[in-house]
Amino acid sequence: MDIKFRTPLRQEDINKLRIGDNVLISGIIYTARDAAHKRIVDLLASGKSLPFELKNSVIYYTGPTPTRPGEVIGSAGPTTSYRMDAYAPTLLENGLKGMIGKGGRSDDVISSIVKNRGVYFVAIGGAGALLSETIVSAEVIAWEELGPEAVRKLEVKDFPCIVAIDTNGNNIFKRR
């Protein structure tokens, strides 16, 4: 059975999630990859404001393909998450609650997920065209010059994910 919830994430909702749970996310999520993560962390370090509210938000690691006429967004499959591992603890410490990507995470990120009571979801790689069908609207909100790595505000309806690392640090990639 799928668990449905809306963003922004509520702590009481994500505390109930366990690895392997199927989740359908609706609401606003943000896209960011390597270059955008570096800029976000630099802004935090300099005390400047971010282009979006980080607290209780979800970041989806994706770099969508170009949008075809009549479409909301191009194919939007998950990017390999470990490339954001250097930045994830800082974002979690500053209020981020959820991340969506593919693949495992470092021990530092897992520790930070537990400490900050966050959650890591995986989306199915290779299904970017199918995932893009759950995106209701898409808008570049920061660093358009980064192209596919620009930060986008996405409105999603029933975006499918699987809980890969829960708030207790249980890790689907290390299950026996």
Side-chain angles (χ1 to χ4, degrees), residues 53-98:
E53 176 59 52
L54 194 58
K55 186 176 181 190
N56 300 324
S57 290
V58 175
I59 292 181
Y60 178 30
Y61 306 146
T62 188
T65 62
T67 305
R68 288 189 247 163
E71 307 249 332
V72 171
I73 196 168
S75 181
T79 297
T80 304
S81 300
Y82 75 81
R83 294 184 359 219
M84 274 53 77
D85 281 3
Y87 310 107
T90 300
L91 299 184
L92 287 160
E93 289 165 13
N94 282 278
L96 180 69
K97 284 296 177 187

Side-chain angles (χ1 to χ4, degrees), residues 33-143:
R33 286 180 35 178
D34 319 45
H37 271 73
K38 180 173 182 350
R39 290 185 184 191
I40 292 167
V41 168
D42 289 347
L43 286 174
L44 288 168
S46 66
K48 295 181 179 169
S49 61
L50 299 181
F52 63 95
E53 176 59 52
L54 194 58
K55 186 176 181 190
N56 300 324
S57 290
V58 175
I59 292 181
Y60 178 30
Y61 306 146
T62 188
T65 62
T67 305
R68 288 189 247 163
E71 307 249 332
V72 171
I73 196 168
S75 181
T79 297
T80 304
S81 300
Y82 75 81
R83 294 184 359 219
M84 274 53 77
D85 281 3
Y87 310 107
T90 300
L91 299 184
L92 287 160
E93 289 165 13
N94 282 278
L96 180 69
K97 284 296 177 187
M99 300 159 285
I100 305 169
K102 69 178 180 181
R105 304 307 297 265
S106 70
D107 289 341
D108 287 342
V109 172
I110 295 167
S111 294
S112 187
I113 288 170
V114 172
K115 176 183 173 190
N116 296 289
R117 309 298 293 158
V119 62
Y120 170 57
F121 303 101
V122 290
I124 305 301
L130 187 61
L131 291 171
S132 68
E133 291 179 10
T134 69
I135 300 170
V136 177
S137 67
E139 171 190 3
V140 173
I141 60 170
W143 308 307

